[in-house]
Amino acid sequence: MIIFNTTYHVESGLEEPFIAWLKETYIPTALWRGALGRPQLCRVIPPEECEGSSFSLQFHVKDSDTLSAWYRETGAGLQEALVSRFAEQVAGFSTLLEVIE
């Protein structure tokens, strides 16, 4: 089992519209084909004051092959939609976490 984590940094003032877009558009679309599951959205607590806010969005996925297929079929389009909607006001990076049983 792998956790697909994407951490986003959002400019000040865009937090509410960004969270709403994730909940209303991104997450339902990401889950549609069934490759990803158990979405979890978290606010990153910064060690000190900083400009903007950061969020972590995580999904559970069977393996990296399943994630690669999901990205080709769905994820790339979601990334384009995110950039189209928020441009440079949101920056993100993804990491894969291996669940240790």
Side-chain angles (χ1 to χ4, degrees):
M1 179 66 59
I2 293 174
I3 298 174
F4 171 48
N5 175 75
T6 304
T7 302
Y8 298 99
H9 184 75
V10 181
E11 287 187 7
S12 294
L14 287 178
E15 293 91 342
E16 287 184 30
F18 179 69
I19 290 170
W21 184 82
L22 285 177
K23 289 180 175 181
E24 296 166 9
T25 302
Y26 191 99
I27 293 171
T29 304
L31 295 174
W32 183 73
R33 291 184 183 259
L36 303 184
R38 298 175 50 191
Q40 184 171 349
L41 179 60
C42 305
R43 183 181 309 274
V44 176
I45 301 171
E48 55 189 61
E49 291 281 328
C50 64
E51 291 286 324
S53 297
S54 293
F55 302 93
S56 169
L57 178 57
Q58 300 176 357
F59 295 95
H60 286 235
V61 62
K62 178 181 170 184
D63 54 37
S64 58
D65 290 338
T66 302
L67 181 60
S68 293
W70 173 84
Y71 188 79
R72 283 190 309 275
E73 296 167 2
T74 306
L78 282 172
Q79 178 63 26
E80 289 175 14
L82 185 144
V83 170
S84 176
R85 171 75 169 84
F86 295 100
E88 295 176 5
Q89 298 170 316
V90 173
F93 65 93
S94 296
T95 53
L96 298 181
L97 308 170
E98 181 179 11
V99 175
I100 300 173
E101 303 289 336

